[in-house]
Amino acid sequence: MRPAVAALLVAVPLAAAADDLPPPVAAAIAEVEAACGSAPATLDPFVIDRQDVNGDRVPDFILNVGGLRCGDEEVSQCGLMGCPKIVLASSKNGFVVVLDIYAHDLRFRALNGRPAASANDEGWNCGSVRGGPGRTTFLWDGTRFACAE
């Protein structure tokens, strides 16, 4: 595992996972937790990746939300489109959500000198339906990742 990646790979109570995170990141986790109502919420696995995605040399947060467990009941957040991926990047005002999508995987790289994200998904391409699996590219526009296709 890369040193830049912090991963919690066991079922983790969301409130405990959010204790040491910046408030916007903790708020994104609380929003996932709200789906359980009053039942205790855990994500199995709940993975938080730390990686600079917007090119400012500050590690950002990528929340990979898989199966949600509400008490003893598993409630999958994943489907044909993949699993929720929530990206919070550093800004002048702290961390903000810059990409919130469903995808099977999400990768970050530079494209023509600009930060870019590439998502492997099924049947969706920048708001239009496609007839099968493919990759969608998002380019950093200075405040968020915008669909490039």
Side-chain angles (χ1 to χ4, degrees):
M1 188 172 291
R2 300 179 315 220
V5 175
L8 304 172
L9 296 174
V10 296
V12 176
L14 294 181
D19 284 347
D20 297 325
L21 299 173
V25 178
I29 292 170
E31 191 173 315
V32 172
E33 182 179 32
C36 286
S38 62
T42 55
L43 288 170
D44 187 20
F46 180 72
V47 178
I48 301 173
D49 292 333
R50 297 292 312 270
Q51 177 183 348
D52 176 17
V53 299
N54 60 355
D56 66 357
R57 296 191 172 104
V58 175
D60 302 305
F61 291 86
I62 302 116
L63 308 180
N64 298 297
V65 183
L68 174 65
R69 186 173 297 278
C70 298
D72 292 332
E73 184 178 332
E74 186 170 332
V75 181
S76 179
Q77 297 278 319
C78 304
L80 180 63
M81 300 290 286
C83 299
K85 312 287 186 204
I86 304 167
V87 181
L88 294 102
S90 58
S91 73
K92 293 181 281 189
N93 302 318
F95 288 92
V96 296
V97 174
V98 296
L99 187 61
D100 187 352
I101 62 169
Y102 280 76
H104 295 286
D105 73 359
L106 183 60
R107 299 179 187 163
F108 296 90
R109 60 189 169 95
L111 184 63
N112 298 323
R114 292 173 57 191
S118 176
N120 184 11
D121 53 47
E122 293 271 343
W124 182 86
N125 185 18
C126 297
S128 54
V129 177
R130 134 177 99 225
R135 291 202 76 79
T136 302
T137 300
F138 303 86
L139 288 175
W140 182 249
D141 70 5
T143 59
R144 66 184 180 91
F145 283 99
C147 207
E149 304 184 7

